[in-house]
Amino acid sequence: MSCTLPGDYQQKMFNKIEGLENAKLIQYGYGVEYDYIDPRELKPSLETKRIDNLFLAGQINGTTGYEEAASQGLIAGINSVRKIKKQEPFIVSRTEAYIGVLIDDLTTQGTSEPYRMFTGRAEYRLSLRSDNADIRLTEKGHQVGVLTDYRYEKFKNFKSVYDDAMNYLGSITHSVAYWKSKIPSLPCEADNPYNTNILDLLRITGVNLKMFDSFLSPKYNFLTDDEKLAERIKIHCVYLAGEKKQNEEMDDIRKNESIQLPVDFDYGKINISFEAREKLFAHKPSSLGAASRIPGITPSAIFQILKYVKKNQSLRMK
């Protein structure tokens, strides 16, 4: 049990539990105190605004968790070296990585409680996947010198093959009826009047590249044998529609930031987390944009508010 009460109180507390009346605590629970600064005192490079050449990372910035600390240490370490070399700071944006989301949240909004990096904090979380991390970050890593030339060349070779394969698969287009006639096991309706390519079909559950083996030219036969590459392509296709919808939602939020929210807005009627609901009731934001800037309010919560307001137009007239 996590507890920071004095030892004798911990002993009494445990002895009150049925079955533990005679238990003896060998090691008392304890807490660790550490220094803390308001992370809004930091630049995106994690250098302090008030003291030049001082970079901070980890719990001192208001975070909790090993990964959160490690990611900040990576960025602070890179930027401290770049500062010595008089180079521009290395900044990762919110759209590129969770590290970017974490640092942007901390340095712009601060935090009133230990910060953890939940996926719900990222506007573009469907794009920030482990399977495409190399495509998102390898180029930037090589530019700042944290990636070896060998690994970078290996990535470039893969990316060339990957892009070529994607272009090729996207070029093979037939009507759904034709695909169904050639591959009866395809889980789609034969009377669908639209033309579609292999990438579109790969979005469907149960469809894989091996099913299109006979449609590939000899140059691309390797695609059905390269399981890792085939999996990468499949995952990309599965997420493609979701990413498009996600981007449309974020654009919708940006266009409607000025929408006014009534002071008596009942956030209890919206499908959002208890934590978000509690913060919204406490802050009573005047607009959608103001709500989005409340620390801890996720993009998904903002979109749920927007959907509710649009559905109930009378709220916008108050």
Side-chain angles (χ1 to χ4, degrees), residues 217-258:
S217 68
K219 177 184 175 182
Y220 294 94
N221 281 341
F222 73 93
L223 289 175
T224 57
D225 297 322
D226 191 332
E227 294 184 1
K228 287 187 177 180
L229 179 58
E231 184 182 24
R232 286 285 296 265
I233 293 171
K234 170 71 176 178
I235 293 173
H236 171 83
C237 294
V238 168
Y239 276 96
L240 203 56
E243 287 181 29
K244 183 180 178 182
K245 182 181 178 183
Q246 164 193 266
N247 295 341
E248 290 172 350
E249 289 177 355
M250 291 305 105
D251 287 341
D252 202 13
I253 289 174
R254 277 190 287 272
K255 291 174 184 175
N256 291 282
E257 281 193 334
S258 60

Side-chain angles (χ1 to χ4, degrees), residues 15-58:
N15 292 150
K16 291 289 185 181
I17 300 173
E18 186 177 351
L20 299 179
E21 294 85 354
N22 298 315
K24 297 290 185 183
L25 287 178
I26 297 174
Q27 174 67 58
Y28 296 123
Y30 63 93
V32 177
E33 294 184 0
Y34 52 88
D35 292 325
Y36 163 77
I37 68 154
D38 186 333
R40 288 173 293 187
E41 290 287 334
L42 298 170
K43 301 174 184 177
S45 64
L46 296 184
E47 181 182 18
T48 57
K49 294 177 179 177
R50 300 192 188 196
I51 305 175
D52 285 345
N53 303 321
L54 176 61
F55 292 80
L56 300 178

Side-chain angles (χ1 to χ4, degrees), residues 256 259-262 306 309-318:
N256 291 282
I259 285 181
Q260 298 299 299
L261 301 176
L306 177 59
V309 171
K310 283 187 171 182
K311 187 176 179 181
N312 299 270
Q313 292 294 324
S314 59
L315 287 171
R316 303 175 65 176
M317 304 303 292
K318 289 190 177 183

Side-chain angles (χ1 to χ4, degrees), residues 2 14 27 31 36 41 44-45 63 68 90 108 111 139 174 196 212 241 251 272 274-275 295 300-301 313:
S2 178
F14 270 83
Q27 174 67 58
Y36 163 77
E41 290 287 334
S45 64
T63 62
E68 287 80 358
F90 174 61
T108 60
T111 182
E139 189 71 42
H174 297 291
T196 188
F212 304 96
D251 287 341
I272 55 178
F274 175 79
E275 177 194 9
S300 58
Q313 292 294 324

